[in-house]
Every structure is written in C-alpha cells, then in structure tokens.
Amino acid sequence: MNLTVKPDYINNYKNGHPLISKESVVEWSKVTQEGTIINLVDSKKRFIVKGYYGIQNKGYGWVLSSSTDENIDTDYFIKKIKSALEYREDFFSDQTTTAFRVFNGEGDGIGGLTIDYFDGYYLLTWYSIGIYELKENILDALKQSVDYKGIYQKKRFDGKGKYLDDADDFVCGERAPEPLIVKENSVNFAIYLDDGAMVGVFLDQRDVRRTIRDKYAKGKTLLNTFSYTGAFSVFGALGGTTKTTSVDLAKRSLPKTQEQFRVNNIDAENQDIIVEDVFNYFKYAVRKKLSFDIVVLDPPSFARSKKHTFSASKDYVKLLKEAIQITSKNGVIVASTNSANFSMMTFRDFIKRAFKELNGKFKVEESFSLPKDFRVNPKFKEGDYLKVVFIRKLK
Ligand code: SAH
C-alpha cells in the first residue's frame, strides 16, 4: 500500500530517519490494519522507504527498508537478526556475563521490537500490535538464527507501552527455571521471565553497576533509591561497602532484594531494605542527620505515588537537592535517568542548578550512556535515552 508523505518530511526519510510520524503522512485513513507494510511515496508516487504500520507512543510505525525490492519476509528478519548477533559476538563469548540485549529496536533496524538474552533463553518485547502482527516471520527468523533453550515474550501494546498481562509469556522451547540465575560481570541475578512486566534487572545499567563495584564501593556506605530488586546494592556490597540501604515503594522489592543478595551469598540481614516512598525517606534521613558516601538516584521517568507525582523532566532538580543534603562531603551521587525527554546537556544543567541552589560545589567524575548491546540508531537520538552521571560532592 502506498502512502503519500508531506513534502517537508521527504528528506527526513531519505536521510534515514526510522520513525514514521503521524504528522508526516496525509492518508492514514487508507490503512486500517496494524502490521500492514506501507510504502512511503512522494506526490508523484515515487518510492522513498517502506515500513510497517503500528501505533506506539512514539509514532505510527517504523521504517524497515529503503529498497523498493526488499520484501519484508522471514529472510528479511533473518538478515537483521544475524547482523544483530554478529554485532554482539563478544557478549556471547563472555562467560562472566550471560544476560544482554541482542536486538535493540530501531538501533538494529526494526523499531518496536527488542530481544534480550538470558543464558540460553530469548525474551522478545513487542511494542505495538503492528509489530506483533509480523510475529510469525520474526519468530521463524529467530529460531533459524540461534540455538535457544526457550523463547518468551512481553506485549507492550497500548499507546503508552504498558505491559499487557497475558496469562503466560512463554512461547516455545523449554520453560526457564524460576528463578533463572544469570550472570553479569560474575555477579548472579535471579530472573523471572514469566512474572509480569519486569524480569528482575535492567540490563542497560550494566556498566554503571560494575563501576560502582570496582571503583567506588570499598569501605563506603551506599543508599540506593528507587531500588527495585536492589541491583546497585548487590554490586555495592560485592565491591565492599560497609552497608547498603535500599529504598523502594513497592512491597515486592523487599523479598526481591533479599533474594538478589542471597543468590550472591550475601547475608541480607546486614543490609537495610526499606519499603517506603523515597521522598518520605529523605525527610526521615534529614531529620535523623543521616549521611551516605554513595547515593544512587534511579527514578522512573514518571511515577505517581499516593502523595507525590514525580516527573524526571520537572522534578529531577528537587530530587538532587534532597540527595545532596544526605550525601557526605566528598561523597558521590550517582544520578541516573532513562527519560528520553531531555538531553545529557539538560541533565548536567539540572545538576548545576541543584548544587547552585544549595550553595554547594561538585565535580563530575564520569558519565555513562547506553552500553554497546543497546545499539542506537545515529539518526534517532531519542533512542539514546540513558544518562548517568557520577557527581562528587565537594561542598
Ligand atoms: N534502580 C532500579 C530500577 C528502578 S525501577 C534498578 O537498578 O534495578 C523504578 C522503581 O521505582 C520501581 O521499583 C518503583 O517501585 C520505584 N518507585 C517509583 N516511585 C517511587 C517512590 N516515590 N518512592 C520509592 N520508590 C518508587
């Protein structure tokens, strides 16, 4: 099916922009079925690129090819998957890390699909009904390209990428043990492939966790806020912290964090795991004059709790100011955000503002963006969402 692109957008597509935006196309009413392969053409019906129709929060579909003869079939997906696997050869041969991303959406040429690897198991995440409609070919292609123990899937269909709770996320092969123990830089993680939207770890923070363990943790106290399963705390403890404190609002975070300590032979009894709103905890910590050598801030880009709404783009300065007050002198704040709404430059500006408003001084020790396996499309900077800055508090 041909869809005409508005003149202003033609060059974007010719230059490799992968997202098909709503505004760029005139005739959306012509397509009704998500998953339809569409040819974007100019007003003279000349071919520009082809892609699929699939509604996501980001747009109305993704470009798949700039060649008019390329068919979007199993062979097409095999080609994409093979090239993604090749790009990650060093991950497959590394025995100390058995969990990583093998296919990262538009970074690997197909927006709306990610594939993660967990020690022989593959987890596909579908970000629209459109890409899910292409599932048969994609699964065929994956099965022909890898040796797998089992395949799982997550559907994140609605416009906001929310997880659809299917009774069963298992697709084929053998079922993974629960938990499945994977390794990251020799540290164990307990993973649950069929237990809701999240599996227990966010793989994109791998380099940050290692850095905390190897360069910062020894002999220090660590406060881990928005801690989820406590991954930063576990790496801290293995790096020699004197104590970690993990704070998360979700009740499940307590048993989950205890488990992550346990699978690494760390006695969780010696660590603090607190189920509470982070913003209440900050108040408590200030009142009790607590201070920590390392404070990790890793909030979701948007969250609503009973008392607070947190939006990274609006409230990060406030969050930093809370953290600065309970960080020891010469301590380090690890400030992280996965918000695609602002750049690293803006994020650094937030840091400057927070210290300025408290009359403090700081030095940036180092910063991180997505690791290699989270491949980014250079024509789609929004995909490069992760920003992490290690900030030394001087005053
Ligand atoms: N830092 C984690 C990932 C964080 S996911 C890791 O490295 O694995 C975001 C977490 O923030 C969720 O577990 C959620 O329960 C928690 N959360 C959201 N709002 C919160 C709040 N106001 N106080 C405490 N935790 C919160």
Side-chain angles (χ1 to χ4, degrees):
M1 172 178 306
N2 286 347
L3 291 184
T4 310
V5 172
K6 292 183 194 164
D8 285 356
Y9 293 88
I10 291 174
N11 274 333
N12 280 352
Y13 290 120
K14 283 192 174 156
N15 292 334
H17 185 76
L19 181 67
I20 304 177
S21 63
K22 183 184 180 196
E23 319 77 72
S24 65
V25 168
V26 198
E27 308 156 307
W28 282 118
S29 57
K30 274 169 66 181
V31 267
T32 47
Q33 183 78 17
E34 289 210 37
T36 304
I37 300 299
I38 48 185
N39 289 319
L40 300 187
V41 298
D42 67 13
S43 57
K44 299 215 170 76
K45 304 252 177 294
R46 284 177 299 207
F47 176 86
I48 309 167
V49 289
K50 67 171 73 177
Y52 73 88
Y53 173 56
I55 296 182
Q56 241 186 278
N57 58 340
K58 292 175 181 164
Y60 268 31
W62 293 93
V63 173
L64 296 173
S65 175
S66 57
S67 154
T68 176
D69 320 314
E70 191 164 34
N71 288 325
I72 308 307
D73 51 17
T74 303
D75 284 345
Y76 165 85
F77 291 112
I78 289 180
K79 213 164 52 197
K80 293 286 173 190
I81 290 172
K82 287 229 159 113
S83 123
L85 293 168
E86 234 165 73
Y87 179 77
R88 290 148 178 103
E89 255 168 10
D90 44 340
F91 283 90
F92 280 100
S93 57
D94 180 353
Q95 310 281 318
T96 64
T97 295
T98 58
F100 51 90
R101 178 151 293 187
V102 293
F103 198 95
N104 194 39
E106 73 283 355
D108 284 292
I110 306 172
L113 168 70
T114 62
I115 308 176
D116 293 323
Y117 175 84
F118 295 97
D119 198 19
Y121 295 88
Y122 287 80
L123 171 65
L124 296 96
T125 303
W126 314 100
Y127 284 90
S128 69
I129 294 171
I131 190 72
Y132 188 68
E133 290 291 325
L134 305 172
K135 170 181 171 180
E136 292 290 308
N137 285 336
I138 295 172
L139 272 175
D140 267 357
L142 180 64
K143 290 181 195 167
Q144 290 182 47
S145 308
V146 299
D147 291 325
Y148 59 91
K149 290 182 194 154
I151 299 177
Y152 283 76
Q153 66 179 352
K154 305 279 175 206
K155 299 177 194 165
R156 291 178 171 263
F157 283 171
D158 81 355
K160 294 196 179 91
K162 211 179 120 219
Y163 169 75
L164 284 184
D165 199 358
D166 258 16
D168 197 349
D169 287 343
F170 174 71
V171 180
C172 64
E174 43 176 279
R175 281 177 190 270
E178 293 191 340
L180 169 69
I181 305 294
V182 300
K183 279 195 190 309
E184 179 185 284
N185 292 306
S186 305
V187 176
N188 292 329
F189 278 129
I191 299 293
Y192 294 81
L193 293 177
D194 189 14
D195 185 25
M198 302 189 286
V199 301
V201 65
F202 290 96
L203 298 173
D204 54 1
Q205 298 276 13
R206 178 187 314 111
D207 297 341
V208 179
R209 285 189 281 268
R210 180 174 53 190
T211 302
I212 290 175
R213 180 190 65 185
D214 295 351
K215 289 169 69 177
Y216 292 88
K218 199 166 176 49
K220 307 291 187 194
T221 55
L222 181 149
L223 172 66
N224 182 7
T225 65
F226 307 93
S227 56
Y228 180 41
T229 59
F232 288 116
S233 311
V234 170
F235 270 71
L238 290 167
T241 50
T242 50
K243 191 165 93 179
T244 66
T245 306
S246 306
V247 183
D248 196 293
L249 188 67
K251 285 203 180 68
R252 57 155 200 249
S253 69
L254 173 62
K256 291 267 179 202
T257 304
Q258 287 169 331
E259 179 179 40
Q260 299 299 6
F261 278 123
R262 196 165 59 236
V263 298
N264 286 289
N265 300 315
I266 301 163
D267 190 350
E269 292 292 310
N270 301 328
Q271 315 291 332
D272 282 344
I273 305 167
I274 299 166
V275 175
E276 199 185 355
D277 191 312
V278 161
F279 295 96
N280 290 343
Y281 183 78
F282 280 133
K283 288 204 186 74
Y284 161 85
V286 168
R287 208 168 54 234
K288 293 277 178 187
K289 297 198 165 53
L290 301 184
S291 74
F292 300 87
D293 302 320
I294 306 170
V295 177
V296 178
L297 302 175
D298 185 28
S301 21
F302 188 84
R304 201 181 301 240
S305 65
K306 276 190 204 114
K307 285 203 195 127
H308 301 275
T309 300
F310 176 84
S311 139
S313 49
K314 290 203 199 100
D315 303 317
Y316 215 108
V317 174
K318 198 179 120 218
L319 177 64
L320 278 162
K321 285 167 73 177
E322 304 265 18
I324 292 166
Q325 294 178 60
I326 56 166
T327 303
S328 4
K329 189 163 177 251
N330 284 318
V332 170
I333 297 170
V334 181
S336 171
T337 180
N338 56 11
S339 175
N341 295 334
F342 52 88
S343 65
M344 183 58 122
M345 224 162 69
T346 304
F347 193 41
R348 292 231 187 186
D349 232 50
F350 289 169
I351 298 167
K352 255 188 227 158
R353 255 169 53 202
F355 275 90
K356 193 159 178 229
E357 285 174 24
L358 291 176
N359 248 324
K361 276 211 162 60
F362 71 98
K363 178 175 111 191
V364 169
E365 294 285 356
E366 53 192 309
S367 62
F368 291 82
S369 54
L370 286 173
K372 182 186 169 186
D373 51 326
F374 282 67
R375 194 176 187 177
V376 171
N377 182 328
K379 299 286 165 56
F380 192 69
K381 292 278 187 262
E382 299 96 305
D384 199 2
Y385 57 85
L386 185 70
K387 298 167 272 290
V388 184
V389 183
F390 281 63
I391 313 157
R392 174 101 40 208
K393 172 179 165 178
L394 301 175
K395 194 180 102 178

